[in-house]
Amino acid sequence: MNPDEIVAAVGESRPRIEGRLKVSGSAHYVADLPMPNLAHGWMVTAAVSRGRIRDIDATDALAQPGVLGVLDHRNTRRLNPDIAHHFGPDRSLPLLQDEVIEYAGRPIALVVAETPEQARAAAAALRVTYDAKPHDIEFSMNHPATRPASTLFGPEADTGDLEAELAGSAMVVDELYHTPEESHSAMEPHVATAWWEDGHLYAFDSNQGPFGISQVMASLFLIDPERVHIRAEHVGGGFGAKTICGAQIILAALAAEHLQRPVRVALTRRQVFLATGSRPPTEQRVRIGADADGRLRAIHHHAAFAQSPLAEYIEWCTEQARTLYAAPAIRTELSAVPLNLLPPCSMRGPGASPGSFAFESAIDEVAERLQIDPLQLRLLNQPVVSPVSGRPFSTRRLVQCLQEGARRFGWAQRDPRPRVRREGNLLVGTGVAAVAFIAGVFPSSAAITAETDGTFSVRVGATDIGTGARTALIAVAADALAVGTERVRMHIGDSDLGLAAGAGGSRGTTSCAFAITETAKALREKLGDSARPVTASVDTTPLINWQPAEERYTYSAVFAEVTVDPATGEVRVRRLLGMFAVGRVINPLLARSQLIGGMIGGLSMALHEESVRDPLTGRLVTADFAGYHISAHADVPTIEADFVADYEPQDPSGFNGLGEIGNAGTAAAIANAVWHATGTRHRTLPISLSRVIERAAAQDRPEAVSVA
Amino acid sequence: MTDDTRSEITLRVNDETYRLAVDNRRTLLDALRDDLNFTGAKKGCDHGQCGACTVLVNGQRVVSCLTLAVAADGAAVTTIEGLAGDGELRPIQEAFIRLDGFQCGFCTPGQICSAVGMLAEHAAGWPSAVTRNGSPHRAGELTEEEIRERMSGNLCRCSAYPSIVRAILEASAREAVAG
Ligand code: FES
Ligand code: FES
């Protein structure tokens, strides 16, 4: 084919390649995959937050029909205790190894039976007794156990003379912000089916990166990584919750080995809440000093988050403070507070979402107190180079996002005074927030075979958890090979495909796209008029520059309009607009969906989501969708997400990731709009009814409560 | 084979009749998925709180996780697999693809079955909580607000909500014809 006739696939809106499967019920997720001779495991979790298991009496459970066995710490094989995960050592991974309990929800046993009903009934007959010890779940940044967080992501910022600049400022905002524990709540509960064959472990597992999981499983079971084969073809969402090696696959593999037959472990929704990682609660102090004209002089962001004593973790809330605005003095601090809580796990917009809520609320407070338009304040303080490292930005189109967003949103018509817009009983307000999210790629590999029939088989260990990775990577491959997309056969979702970044950190698709682009280049050099298939493969590990001269981020400006009924406390988002600078966009249709989805996640964070624990037991009381509300259809208005033209020079194709940026700025924009509507600043999420309701208005309009 | 714990039932699923012996505790969802291999309906919560398991029973949408299989004995069940006839997608399925009404796709079978049931309810004149001047026989016009209200039992954590609503609205006229 004449290359000139090929329409570039990148940049085109194309529906998902697996769309037909997904709308007809023929996309098979892990729990849909049949397996002969399958046994079913039912996970049992600890009911105390701290202590020891005194005894697990399985007599009655084992006597029940269909029961094949009960695994606990006394009869389970040893796993590697010295295991590390993304953030460092992780003692939460070796399951069923001892009687120690450090959080409620810790898996302590697995009951295996012929059917799920039998396993569940037998699990209910298990008699577990504990020696409970006093637990501590009381999170505060002033907790005596508070310590500096891991600096795996690099040192925190400390430039200029912070105290001198604060002392010299005309006005200082110094406030505390709080965000609660939150749950990812992917619609597909975690599930795995595992079996062993000739010393090889095979599994279907619902995860965000089968290659990474295979490496952890190999290390945990102390076997050669080549002997672990994990598939995740279709995954029902993850949002970070499936980036870690989950209890489901560890338990399924243990039981399958123990019983010498395939075992499926499907977590219930309740168990997903209880036993899979959550976003930790944060407490954040932000101090910002400014001159009367709005120039920032000092920025101090100190964030603390809860973590488990079992595993290292980083909720990097301080990223915004070091990059969004210029100031002569910037200091960031990050603290970890070990408590008897579920080990946290990165959730969409990790660090950035809670961090941006605090920081961009504080920036709004600066504008409020100086009586400067919050959009102008943000534009006024834009840095030319990174205010902390002094390095230039590879691309920074935040100003364009702010300006274009303001134009479309009609910001110029906004009356800056709070609590002046009313529609009937409703208060109306608008708000804005800016946000940055760090970008880059992780090492990945790809193999492409030029088949003799003119098609190209692309093998890359990417996962499509709903990101559209499969569809996007086909477009990338087609352009890199200079062929039409119909000639590309994409194979993803299998650890046997080799080293590949998981769908996480906004880096899955960009990392795999980079590998595909480089592999296509290598293949085109190899191609002759061969009558046999020709294959090339590239591992990008040596190609990644970990010390680039320029800082690499994606950016967004989010604008929100809310209505507030002071008599009921109900906040409704009426309009949401996000403008995004995310490099060159591979597929605008899918990218918009992902960004809008992220923004709705931010809306849900702002108004609805909160995991509540009983202080007496430490147990989660919101372990279902009735207790833990995530945004539903009726909560969601029309939402606009669009792009400013952008190109990432650090990427051979100009790409950046966009999995988190939609989420990260939305809560702050909504909180700022709620202030504008009501005149009250909400520094604690979620901005729920009980926090917003105004006594006088409720007394005035008692009928409002019954109507609403 | 039946005893105290099992019963023999008949289900008509997607126009085929099945006789099966089920554990009395088995839900319709598990029977469809595990006994009959209709795995399109998904288990998102098993508590009637997410809508992922929605199927049509005698034409009406139900959460199959809260329906015991024995209670559906003799019923006609339509699952997502049975919505499309002979490889032809229904208008609503086609609109979901074109307008990107899903991301991970896990809630999608439930959203689509629920939408088909919801459109029938609307066509039959059932009002919703947001229907203005609604009476038991007046549903008014099918607006985005109406769709959002009526579809709120179907959660989507990927939050494809705006495109789902658009797809339903766009397909509604043609769905009514498709029946
Ligand atoms: S699985 Fe039935 S409603 Fe959630
Ligand atoms: S598409 Fe993922 S939950 Fe709806």
Side-chain angles (χ1 to χ4, degrees):
Chain A
M1 191 190 286
N2 176 355
D4 292 340
E5 288 170 12
I6 293 159
V7 183
V10 169
E12 284 261 307
S13 281
R14 296 172 186 231
R16 286 165 212 266
I17 188 90
E18 75 283 6
R20 200 184 167 88
L21 297 179
K22 285 186 174 172
V23 301
S24 58
S26 1
H28 297 301
Y29 300 77
V30 171
D32 305 338
L33 296 163
M35 175 64 56
N37 196 29
L38 182 64
H40 298 265
W42 195 272
M43 186 172 86
V44 179
T45 58
V48 300
S49 286
R50 185 162 163 260
R52 303 179 87 79
I53 301 167
R54 187 188 303 158
D55 186 38
I56 299 181
D57 180 355
T59 322
D60 291 350
L62 287 167
Q64 296 218 3
V67 174
L68 299 166
V70 176
L71 274 75
D72 63 29
H73 60 285
R74 294 164 306 189
N75 63 356
T76 299
R77 61 161 280 174
R78 297 304 89 187
L79 295 169
N80 178 8
D82 299 315
I83 185 129
H85 218 325
H86 304 303
F87 304 104
D90 189 339
R91 290 188 295 120
S92 76
L93 288 174
L95 292 175
L96 312 189
Q97 301 293 294
D98 58 33
E99 59 273 72
V100 181
I101 295 168
E102 293 277 14
Y103 62 93
R106 174 78 175 160
I108 54 169
L110 187 79
V111 179
V112 192
E114 296 289 348
T115 73
E117 289 91 347
Q118 291 168 338
R120 179 178 204 165
L126 213 59
R127 280 197 300 270
V128 186
T129 46
Y130 304 92
D131 290 314
K133 291 195 191 137
H135 61 264
D136 184 0
I137 61 160
E138 202 140 329
F139 170 65
S140 152
M141 72 195 298
N142 299 317
H143 191 286
T146 303
R147 60 162 175 83
S150 155
T151 51
L152 186 73
F153 291 176
E156 291 297 312
D158 195 3
T159 62
D161 187 339
L162 182 77
E163 295 305 332
E165 293 292 341
L166 283 170
S169 295
M171 189 277 318
V172 175
V173 163
D174 180 356
E175 297 292 351
L176 281 177
Y177 302 86
H178 296 90
T179 64
E181 182 181 353
E182 293 160 0
S183 174
H184 307 68
S185 305
M187 293 314 300
E188 179 198 29
H190 298 49
V191 51
T193 302
W195 67 100
W196 293 80
E197 251 173 62
D198 304 328
H200 287 245
L201 169 63
Y202 296 83
F204 302 130
D205 180 46
S206 172
N207 69 58
Q208 294 180 233
F211 180 80
I213 305 293
S214 74
Q215 304 299 294
V216 176
M217 285 296 283
S219 163
L220 205 48
F221 283 78
L222 292 164
I223 55 175
D224 182 349
E226 304 276 310
R227 290 172 168 258
V228 182
H229 315 273
I230 298 178
R231 271 175 274 166
E233 174 76 19
H234 294 290
V235 179
F239 316 107
K242 297 170 183 171
T243 52
I244 54 174
C245 184
Q248 74 281 0
I249 186 173
I250 300 168
L251 294 174
L254 284 171
E257 190 183 40
H258 191 82
L259 296 168
Q260 294 293 305
R261 63 187 274 193
V263 174
R264 177 183 296 162
V265 175
L267 304 199
T268 62
R269 175 56 55 186
R270 182 175 163 74
Q271 290 173 339
V272 171
F273 276 105
L274 294 178
T276 71
S278 54
R279 194 198 309 267
T282 73
E283 180 170 34
Q284 306 179 52
R285 182 181 180 194
V286 185
R287 291 197 292 167
I288 301 177
D291 286 334
D293 66 358
R295 293 233 174 250
L296 302 186
R297 292 184 63 159
I299 293 173
H300 181 202
H301 189 168
H302 180 187
F305 58 87
Q307 72 172 34
S308 160
L310 294 177
E312 197 51 80
Y313 176 76
I314 303 171
E315 185 76 16
W316 196 34
C317 296
T318 49
E319 181 183 17
Q320 307 303 316
R322 58 194 293 150
T323 195
L324 268 188
Y325 306 110
I330 296 178
R331 183 188 297 164
T332 64
E333 293 173 73
L334 196 61
S335 303
V337 186
L339 295 170
N340 298 115
L341 293 171
L342 183 61
C345 158
S346 299
M347 178 166 158
R348 203 165 197 181
S353 293
S356 145
F357 161 67
F359 185 69
E360 279 291 283
S361 291
I363 287 288
D364 219 64
E365 300 205 46
V366 172
E368 172 195 341
R369 295 188 204 176
L370 292 175
Q371 303 207 342
I372 295 176
D373 178 89
L375 180 77
Q376 289 313 319
L377 183 87
R378 288 174 169 87
L379 291 169
L380 181 68
N381 287 288
Q382 286 304 303
V384 179
V385 295
S386 163
V388 172
S389 72
R391 288 187 293 157
F393 297 104
S394 56
T395 167
R396 185 181 168 105
R397 311 268 297 162
L398 176 57
V399 168
Q400 288 81 352
C401 291
L402 284 163
Q403 288 175 333
E404 177 58 15
R407 193 187 65 75
R408 293 191 193 185
F409 195 74
W411 188 264
Q413 283 81 54
R414 176 182 189 262
D415 183 335
R417 293 170 301 159
R419 213 179 169 99
V420 292
R421 242 180 102 187
R422 282 173 187 273
E423 286 176 21
N425 291 316
L426 299 179
L427 304 169
V428 184
T430 52
V432 61
V435 69
F437 197 85
I438 196 157
V441 287
F442 291 133
S444 296
S445 62
I448 307 180
T449 301
E451 310 287 358
T452 50
D453 63 359
T455 63
F456 294 84
S457 300
V458 180
R459 293 183 169 78
V460 62
T463 25
D464 193 335
I465 59 170
T467 57
R470 194 183 279 104
T471 310
L473 292 175
I474 287 174
V476 170
D479 283 10
L481 293 162
V483 300
T485 49
E486 72 289 347
R487 288 170 64 190
V488 176
R489 307 270 173 272
M490 184 63 62
H491 304 273
I492 66 167
D494 189 334
S495 65
D496 287 348
L497 296 169
L499 170 74
S506 290
R507 295 183 185 202
T509 299
T510 23
S511 300
C512 293
F514 182 33
I516 288 172
T517 307
E518 293 300 323
T519 308
K521 228 186 270 174
L523 181 70
R524 289 174 78 177
E525 279 161 19
K526 264 181 147 175
L527 277 183
D529 278 329
S530 175
R532 283 171 303 140
V534 183
T535 299
S537 59
V538 172
D539 175 343
T540 59
T541 309
L543 304 176
I544 294 175
N545 178 4
W546 291 104
Q547 304 282 315
E550 298 170 327
E551 292 203 353
R552 180 172 174 184
Y553 285 91
T554 54
Y555 298 92
S556 152
V558 184
F559 295 80
E561 178 174 305
V562 302
T563 62
V564 179
D565 186 336
T568 62
E570 188 183 20
V571 178
R572 296 192 66 86
V573 176
R574 187 194 267 182
R575 275 201 298 158
L576 209 48
L577 162 71
M579 288 302 301
F580 295 91
V582 290
R584 186 169 159 235
V585 176
I586 300 175
N587 183 326
L589 176 71
L590 275 46
R592 257 191 208 101
S593 290
Q594 202 178 357
L595 292 168
I596 287 173
M599 290 165 75
I600 295 169
L603 182 161
S604 196
M605 174 188 185
L607 302 182
H608 308 311
E609 293 180 38
E610 179 172 23
S611 292
V612 178
R613 286 179 185 273
D614 172 7
L616 284 184
T617 63
R619 295 203 292 249
L620 203 60
V621 294
T622 48
D624 61 29
F625 286 136
Y628 189 89
H629 179 64
I630 59 171
S631 288
H633 274 286
D635 298 310
V636 177
T638 302
I639 298 184
E640 185 183 352
D642 210 352
F643 313 98
V644 299
D646 193 22
Y647 189 94
E648 174 55 58
Q650 283 186 33
D651 183 81
S653 314
F655 304 144
N656 268 331
L658 46 79
E660 343 251 0
I661 186 84
N663 187 272
T666 305
I670 292 172
N672 293 340
V674 172
W675 168 79
H676 187 232
T678 61
T680 303
R681 187 64 69 176
H682 288 274
R683 300 188 184 92
T684 298
L685 293 185
I687 307 173
S688 50
L689 304 184
S690 60
R691 296 198 164 111
V692 181
I693 190 167
E694 296 177 14
R695 184 185 289 266
Q699 281 167 353
D700 266 8
R701 286 176 38 238
E703 77 288 356
V705 180
S706 55
V707 174
Chain B
M1 141 211 98
T2 57
D3 54 39
D4 286 3
T5 64
R6 299 173 75 79
S7 304
E8 199 148 307
I9 61 168
T10 305
L11 289 176
R12 193 159 171 77
V13 184
N14 302 331
D15 294 331
E16 293 260 352
T17 302
Y18 300 88
R19 278 200 73 70
L20 59 163
V22 292
D23 188 316
N24 292 340
R25 297 165 295 187
R26 207 150 186 82
T27 62
L28 175 59
L29 176 62
D30 286 338
L32 288 170
R33 290 179 50 84
D34 298 342
D35 295 328
L36 302 177
N37 204 25
F38 291 108
T39 55
K42 299 291 185 262
K43 188 183 285 186
C45 71
D46 219 14
H47 269 54
Q49 295 173 340
C50 77
C53 62
T54 307
V55 298
L56 301 169
V57 173
N58 299 330
Q60 290 193 5
R61 50 181 175 161
V62 303
V63 278
S64 60
C65 72
L66 288 192
T67 310
L68 288 172
V70 290
D73 187 15
V77 180
T78 306
T79 70
I80 187 76
E81 290 94 340
L83 275 186
D86 282 343
E88 281 276 304
L89 292 182
R90 285 173 75 122
I92 190 156
Q93 291 171 305
E94 186 275 324
F96 263 67
I97 297 177
R98 189 164 34 81
L99 299 173
D100 210 30
F102 54 92
Q103 292 171 42
C104 76
F106 195 79
C107 74
T108 313
Q111 299 277 359
I112 293 176
C113 287
S114 183
V116 170
M118 180 276 285
L119 290 173
E121 291 162 15
H122 181 263
W126 297 14
S128 83
V130 299
T131 308
R132 280 173 243 294
N133 309 318
S135 73
H137 309 291
R138 275 242 327 261
E141 194 195 339
L142 191 70
T143 59
E144 289 203 355
E145 189 193 14
E146 280 281 356
I147 295 175
R148 287 185 194 127
E149 172 64 26
R150 289 164 187 265
M151 290 295 293
S152 276
N154 290 85
L155 297 176
C156 174
R157 185 54 153 173
C158 298
S159 296
Y161 296 125
S163 330
I164 294 173
V165 171
R166 235 171 283 139
I168 295 173
L169 193 59
E170 213 199 270
S172 58
R174 281 174 300 142
E175 273 296 325
V177 178

